[in-house]
Amino acid sequence: MKFQPGFSSFLKPAGLKACAKPILRRAGFLFLMGALEVLAPPGSPAAEPMMDTSVFSESRLGAVESVKLGHFAQALRSEQTALKIAQDQYGPTSLLLVPILDDVAVLQWRLAEYRDSEESLKWGLALVEKNLGPGDGEVADSLDLLAGLYLDLNRLAEAEWVEKRALALRQASGAANPQSLARTEDLLGQVELGLGNASQAQTHFGEAQKNLEPGRQPDAAFSLHLLNHLALAYASGNDFNQAQSCLEKSMETAEKDFKPVSPEAVEAMEDLADFYDDRGQLEKARPLWESALKTSGQLVGGVYDYLALPHLKRLARAEDGVGDHPKARGLWLKILPVDEAVYGAKHPQVALDLMALADQDAKLGQKGKAAEELKESLAILKPLFPADDPLVRQLDARLADLSK
Amino acid sequence: MRRFITLFLAALFLTPVLPVRADYGNRFVANKRIPLPLDRSDKKISYRFTCAEDMEITDAAVFCVEAEKPPAYLLSLQEDEKGRPSGTPLASSSFVPRPLSWTTLPLARALLQKGKVYHLVLEQDKMRGGDHPVGVIGPSNWASFLCTDVLNHLHCADGSPDPNTNVLGFEGGQWRELNREPVFAVYGAGEKYLGNPYDDPGERPIYGGVDPNDKSKQVLQGEALHFHCGYPATAFAIRIKKQGHPTSPLNYLILKHFYQIHKTAPVYKAEALEPGQVPSEFQWVTVGFGDKSKSNFSPECWFLVLQTDSGRPSKDPPGCEDCYVLSDVGNSGGLAYAAQFTFDGGPHLSREVYSVDGGDSLTWKDEFERDADWVAIGPDCPPPVKMEYEPMPTPEPLRDILLQGKFPE
């Protein structure tokens, strides 16, 4: 070719090329990283990096650490930084963005940024479909996440459609990953339960149990979770004997597979106690609540922070169960500021805490205080959920009860 | 393992051989286009290659050089049997070629395995989907397809070896290796690219300008090399020649590139070669970096360019007189995602660069679909470190927390 001095090249905007390689992202994002140096003279614009791996890995690992301490907003910022770096490196359509997008979406979900979370999940889903094809088994992972979000938002029809597609994809890909199939069956069961289809929910939970890999160490926490869901499905279908049986089995399993003094054991005890309470069998519920109280008391330490929250909530539940409402109220008063600090004052988690606090105030005869707390809770939930959402409806009903 | 290059105390030395394979840069060479005519129905061409990564092929492209009322041709992908096409197409597509252009053809999806040898076979499509021959092929109805003269035995995108690359011709019932470089492109699902898009061998003139005192008209040529690890280069190799009788030395410059504003900053300049050290025909020449602290490259784009005060522009090839000429390879256009097939892939990584105004820091031009024959010599990149990031756990469902009324009576 003859060189033409006047030839003007077309300068393309910055951004880096896409070089997608399929990876098993749910098994962990495997990122190949060289030992890289980053050069950017002080005060000068950043030079084009092959990939700023130090910032990238610090961001991703930092996000994991932040989540452990409940610093979700910080974790989200870190993941968004990592996403930007990966996007610059691999281009906006690379499959390598998907695990980061999933993490971003989950953090947005946690922070009740539901619309952003849905967008992030849909972006990830589109990337998987584009890169691997809409029939690839990996698509089911993205669908599971999206269905989980819809379930949380009570968008059950959408959740059902999405999760049925996930199930079809998992079934088409054979028994390659029964654990994933079990989780999809469980999620679909929860959706059907929400839709009031108790028998279909039972079927899905049953299928999920069958798919727990027989030859491998069972996921004990997931087994408990499934038993609890099965109990709910049986109770929904008015089969209370089966429901009771599932909850009893859950308690036995929790004490066997976990330590007797463990969060799982307390949770299982409290679920069974709740069941007896709801059935009016207070004599059976009482010893369970007492036992749960004793055990959960041992699990709560002296520091009331994010890590202590689940223990404090179980303890408050147990105090309520044994009828010690002042103590339960005191615990919810400790829980509330921690949840506010972790999620922000306008988060549904805080609304739920306020509901629990209002419940205790009502039981203590403080109806005015309880009504204020419920109104505050409603003010948080109404911008986030539609008026016919069960959470909102439940709050309205409680407020109406209080005003009687 | 990359071979270690011993440097002499002198900062400058010559090695008129191809640089070692594993060093970083474009070593792909082409001097001229060679058209391979298919003017008889019993003639075929095969572009043989080794698949560099597992891929599900979706399309393939070939370059037609000449076409005179051409018949339809069939492009098929075939497995290799003892160096020859198996004769059984994995996928095929029919087309009527257009001269001096690439044609991209859809292929039924077929899985190609990394390390396995395949052939893209071109032949007249005699039947065109029917059961009897249609169309005419002969001296007045034919087309030719491109290969280039130097058989590099490389995957041009990353410089990895491909000892199986070759062009094969079928004539008189026999396949024969032609020892030419195949020019073709194969697309795979998931943004995978394989092939040689360099249909345009080139020469890049380096000269000082009509007025020796006006450095703003100088023409500089080079390559933006995007290193993939911290790279303490000890030397570089260029494929260079002189045109006429340059009087000034050939210098090299290292420029830092700030991609967000497309601006360069000079880092180092030194003499590369005296006029007498530059051959009159293209030859690989290795030059040691004078100050190793300046050639310790971070993993990003660095402009490595050549400059001289000698010479002036010319209307005739290679575009200058009494100057230096750097060889390059490029794509002439018309091939989708051509930059992805070139050395180091897409348009934001390594590519050829030039300046027509004395190396002004803001007006460097990129040639995204071209690469200069320029290789940096240094150690291997360290093996990649595997890092695993577990996915974030999803939040506990909000509605599980509402325990009251959980178990309906």
Side-chain angles (χ1 to χ4, degrees), chain A residues 349-363:
Chain A
Q349 195 66 53
V350 175
L352 293 170
D353 294 348
L354 284 165
M355 282 171 77
L357 185 61
D359 192 33
Q360 297 308 315
D361 279 328
K363 285 174 181 170

Side-chain angles (χ1 to χ4, degrees), chain B residues 189-266:
Chain B
E191 299 178 31
K192 294 186 177 183
Y193 309 94
L194 176 71
N196 167 26
Y198 297 129
D199 60 53
D200 188 14
E203 298 180 326
R204 313 292 296 189
I206 302 153
Y207 56 87
V210 179
D211 179 359
N213 297 319
D214 182 5
K215 299 211 174 194
S216 70
K217 298 287 192 295
Q218 290 190 350
V219 172
L220 289 75
Q221 304 281 354
E223 176 86 356
L225 279 179
H226 194 308
F227 295 95
H228 289 228
C229 64
Y231 197 86
T234 52
F236 64 90
I238 45 177
R239 191 164 178 263
I240 193 88
K241 72 173 185 180
K242 65 184 169 193
Q243 178 74 20
H245 303 283
T247 51
S248 302
L250 180 68
N251 302 309
Y252 69 91
L253 284 81
I254 299 172
L255 306 175
K256 182 93 195 65
H257 183 231
F258 301 106
Y259 74 98
Q260 286 155 324
I261 50 173
H262 201 64
K263 185 178 180 181
T264 57

Side-chain angles (χ1 to χ4, degrees), chain B residues 100-162:
Chain B
L100 280 175
S101 63
W102 284 90
T103 303
T104 303
L105 296 155
L107 291 174
R109 289 199 170 201
L111 290 171
L112 305 194
Q113 287 173 28
K114 180 182 177 179
K116 210 168 158 182
V117 179
Y118 295 92
H119 298 253
L120 272 179
V121 178
L122 278 159
E123 60 192 299
Q124 191 212 351
D125 187 4
K126 282 179 275 191
M127 304 297 190
R128 298 196 71 171
D131 56 4
H132 61 90
V134 290
V136 182
I137 190 167
S140 304
N141 303 88
W142 60 280
S144 65
F145 296 92
L146 185 65
C147 63
T148 47
D149 59 338
V150 179
L151 182 53
N152 291 277
H153 284 309
L154 298 171
H155 287 125
C156 61
D158 63 1
S160 63
D162 181 1

Side-chain angles (χ1 to χ4, degrees), chain B residues 39-108:
Chain B
D39 51 7
R40 291 205 316 264
S41 61
D42 63 344
K43 283 170 82 173
K44 299 179 193 177
I45 298 166
S46 159
Y47 296 138
R48 191 174 70 191
F49 63 96
T50 308
C51 186
E53 61 175 331
D54 292 343
M55 65 194 298
E56 190 180 9
I57 190 170
T58 58
D59 306 271
V62 288
F63 189 92
C64 171
V65 188
E66 307 145 296
E68 188 179 336
K69 294 180 184 168
Y73 289 91
L74 195 69
L75 177 71
S76 64
L77 176 75
Q78 300 183 21
E79 289 185 331
D80 179 83
E81 275 182 19
K82 297 178 183 170
R84 310 292 186 241
S86 68
T88 309
L90 297 171
S92 63
S93 216
S94 177
F95 71 115
V96 177
R98 184 178 174 164
L100 280 175
S101 63
W102 284 90
T103 303
T104 303
L105 296 155
L107 291 174

Side-chain angles (χ1 to χ4, degrees), chain B residues 37 39-40 42-44 169-176 178:
Chain B
D39 51 7
R40 291 205 316 264
D42 63 344
K43 283 170 82 173
K44 299 179 193 177
F170 185 85
E171 207 171 351
Q174 296 255 317
W175 282 105
R176 189 166 58 90
L178 304 179

Side-chain angles (χ1 to χ4, degrees), chain A residues 139-403:
Chain A
V139 173
D141 290 341
S142 295
L143 294 172
D144 277 350
L145 281 173
L146 195 56
L149 177 68
Y150 287 152
L151 182 64
D152 228 13
L153 298 177
N154 202 46
R155 289 162 58 178
L156 299 173
E158 290 163 275
E160 186 186 34
W161 188 87
V162 165
E163 207 49 11
K164 278 187 172 171
R165 191 181 155 207
L167 184 61
L169 287 171
R170 297 244 187 254
Q171 286 169 337
S173 60
N177 194 344
Q179 197 82 8
S180 299
L181 184 54
R183 289 184 191 279
T184 298
E185 292 275 14
D186 171 51
L187 205 47
L188 193 50
Q190 291 180 61
V191 174
E192 295 300 346
L193 194 56
L195 288 166
N197 304 325
S199 64
Q200 286 185 40
Q202 285 166 27
T203 307
H204 287 301
F205 294 137
E207 285 299 314
Q209 281 188 318
K210 281 186 208 163
N211 275 296
L212 286 179
E213 284 179 86
R216 290 174 56 182
Q217 182 71 23
D219 182 343
F222 186 56
S223 297
L224 289 182
H225 173 84
L226 273 181
L227 281 168
N228 193 277
H229 284 167
L230 253 180
L232 279 170
Y234 282 127
S236 235
N238 295 322
D239 190 345
F240 296 107
N241 289 336
Q242 282 285 9
Q244 182 177 332
S245 162
C246 287
L247 290 170
E248 285 169 352
K249 193 175 171 193
S250 171
M251 203 173 82
E252 282 168 29
T253 310
E255 285 176 351
K256 183 164 65 74
D257 289 350
F258 298 91
K259 291 174 189 169
V261 181
S262 65
E264 290 79 9
V266 175
E267 192 111 9
M269 263 183 252
E270 291 185 338
D271 283 344
L272 186 55
D274 244 343
F275 175 82
Y276 287 139
D277 266 350
D278 286 342
R279 302 292 303 148
Q281 299 173 4
L282 303 181
E283 72 290 351
K284 286 188 179 174
R286 181 77 192 181
L288 284 170
W289 284 124
E290 284 170 353
S291 182
L293 181 63
K294 190 179 164 195
T295 312
S296 58
Q298 293 174 52
L299 293 167
V300 174
V303 180
Y304 298 146
D305 59 5
Y306 169 71
L307 296 176
L309 276 176
H311 304 301
L312 284 168
K313 286 180 184 176
R314 273 188 291 270
L315 183 59
R317 193 179 165 194
E319 295 285 13
D320 177 56
V322 298
D324 195 341
H325 301 302
K327 276 195 181 167
R329 182 177 183 277
L331 284 166
W332 283 111
L333 283 172
K334 288 190 172 82
I335 290 164
L336 192 58
V338 182
D339 264 334
E340 278 180 344
V342 169
Y343 297 106
K346 301 293 179 194
H347 193 278
Q349 195 66 53
V350 175
L352 293 170
D353 294 348
L354 284 165
M355 282 171 77
L357 185 61
D359 192 33
Q360 297 308 315
D361 279 328
K363 285 174 181 170
L364 290 166
Q366 306 269 359
K367 286 194 171 185
K369 207 180 264 183
E372 285 308 309
E373 285 150 1
L374 287 180
K375 279 178 191 165
E376 205 181 325
S377 179
L378 203 55
I380 296 171
L381 291 180
K382 273 196 167 169
L384 293 170
F385 301 106
D388 62 346
D389 185 281
L391 274 174
V392 178
R393 284 211 316 261
Q394 195 174 348
L395 266 172
D396 282 333
R398 286 196 194 184
L399 261 172
D401 279 349
L402 281 175
S403 61

Side-chain angles (χ1 to χ4, degrees), chain A residues 15-44:
Chain A
L16 295 177
K17 70 159 188 174
C19 53
K21 291 191 195 314
I23 49 169
L24 285 170
R25 63 201 165 91
R26 301 312 298 173
F29 175 33
L30 199 66
F31 172 66
L32 299 180
M33 187 181 75
L36 305 184
E37 299 165 29
V38 180
L39 188 144
S44 69

